[in-house]
Amino acid sequence: MAGLGLFGSTGAQAQGKFPTGPVIIQVPFAPGGGADRTFRLFAPYLSKELGVPVKVTNVAGGGGWVSWSQVVNEWDGEKDDHKLAVVNIPHIFSMLNPEMKRKETLESFNFLAWHSYDPGLWLVRWDDDRFRTFEDVINYAKKSPLVISVGSHGGDDHVGVAYAMKAVPALKNSKLLFSDTGDNGKIQQLLSKSSDMVAGNVGYYINSVMERKLRPIVLLHNEPWIMLPSVPTFEEITGQPDITYAGRTLATANGLAEWKRQIYLKAIKAAMSNPEYVQKEQANRNFLMFRTGDEMWKLLRAGQAVAERAAYWEEEKK
């Protein structure tokens, strides 16, 4: 009995010696974007919990797929156990586009945890008296094509608008303006009156709302959002569940040992609960949301369902 007890204790200690060196967080986009900023802010707090340095690296290209292809097809559960991957939702759902010819599915990824969540929001110019409500927007679109500023192809902005164009007949003929310069470019399009409405996210646009430059018109979430509780949801107005968001998750190599996975999860949860880190993310209007297991997979599958219904690539063929 004493021998067995000693053996069990030694095994637990051996398993506890992880990670043994620096950990990398691989961001699938170039430096300077939202995901890059978020995880560079997060890295020192995760480092504190893991007891080793945590470094952010960037592997850009292919709308994220240069990185994600490495994670799924090249990373090894033993050799690459000191690597974490950022997987962005809904960007990953570009794999649903037949022209991408991708073989991956959600189940191809070894997701660890959901990290942050920022629901979709549509806004108009604060002084644009044409649109006091989203019903005004719909009525306007019945008479004249609505021009909407969105971000990148396949991003959450694009998915939300593409779904709306299918769900609400009046929006079918809307014209989309894409921005190569992110949210700043979209705001300039709207303020210069090149567009009628902008599609974005609560976290980024809340300051423009507070400054009375832009007015929120409808929320793409399943219920009112804590930061803008008086803004109606798309489903409340139309009866259709258009739910989109910028979501960030962390994944690791397939085949990672379960005990190592648990160490990562414990450290991620603790780092995300660090009051100093939480305060910094609140200042950046980034809503932290730790989810794992069934709760995380429910979000992932719901996001895919919206992307499938939106099928933005079908509009591009017309």
Side-chain angles (χ1 to χ4, degrees), residues 42 45 49 115 265-279 288 290:
F42 182 59
Y45 298 95
E49 298 299 330
H115 175 272
L265 281 172
K266 182 179 179 180
I268 292 168
K269 184 176 182 179
M272 288 179 61
S273 301
N274 185 298
E276 183 178 89
Y277 174 63
V278 171
Q279 186 175 20
L288 298 177
F290 180 81

Side-chain angles (χ1 to χ4, degrees), residues 26-92:
Q26 184 164 301
V27 173
F29 303 112
D36 184 69
R37 179 204 60 78
T38 291
F39 287 98
R40 288 186 187 278
L41 190 63
F42 182 59
Y45 298 95
L46 183 60
S47 173
K48 180 180 178 181
E49 298 299 330
L50 291 174
V52 297
V54 175
K55 179 182 178 182
V56 173
T57 61
N58 301 82
V59 177
W65 276 104
V66 172
S67 174
W68 298 330
S69 182
Q70 290 180 4
V71 174
V72 171
N73 302 308
E74 300 176 22
W75 283 14
D76 178 86
E78 293 186 8
K79 295 180 181 178
D80 298 298
D81 60 355
H82 282 56
K83 294 180 180 179
L84 300 175
V86 177
V87 182
N88 299 68
I89 311 297
H91 304 73
I92 191 178

Side-chain angles (χ1 to χ4, degrees), residues 121-175:
L121 181 69
W122 293 356
L123 309 95
V124 298
R125 293 185 297 278
W126 190 273
D127 60 356
D128 193 341
D129 292 329
R130 295 177 302 169
F131 310 128
R132 306 308 301 180
T133 67
F134 188 53
E135 289 93 336
D136 292 339
V137 172
I138 294 173
N139 289 330
Y140 176 90
K142 291 177 181 178
K143 302 173 183 177
S144 180
L146 193 71
V147 182
I148 309 173
S149 292
V150 298
S152 60
H153 285 264
D156 56 315
D157 305 340
H158 192 187
V159 170
V161 172
Y163 177 80
M165 291 170 68
K166 288 180 168 63
V168 180
L171 300 176
K172 182 178 180 180
N173 296 319
S174 296
K175 297 179 180 180

Side-chain angles (χ1 to χ4, degrees), residues 146-219:
L146 193 71
V147 182
I148 309 173
S149 292
V150 298
S152 60
H153 285 264
D156 56 315
D157 305 340
H158 192 187
V159 170
V161 172
Y163 177 80
M165 291 170 68
K166 288 180 168 63
V168 180
L171 300 176
K172 182 178 180 180
N173 296 319
S174 296
K175 297 179 180 180
L176 307 187
L177 285 184
F178 293 94
S179 170
D180 294 329
T181 54
D183 287 291
N184 286 333
K186 292 188 294 182
I187 290 175
Q188 288 307 310
Q189 289 173 349
L190 184 63
L191 294 179
S192 66
K193 300 184 179 180
S194 298
S195 64
D196 301 303
M197 187 171 71
V198 63
N201 299 94
V202 174
Y204 190 91
Y205 284 84
I206 190 73
N207 286 337
S208 294
V209 174
M210 295 173 67
E211 294 169 359
R212 296 197 171 192
K213 293 180 180 178
L214 304 180
R215 181 156 36 81
I217 206 81
V218 73
L219 182 73

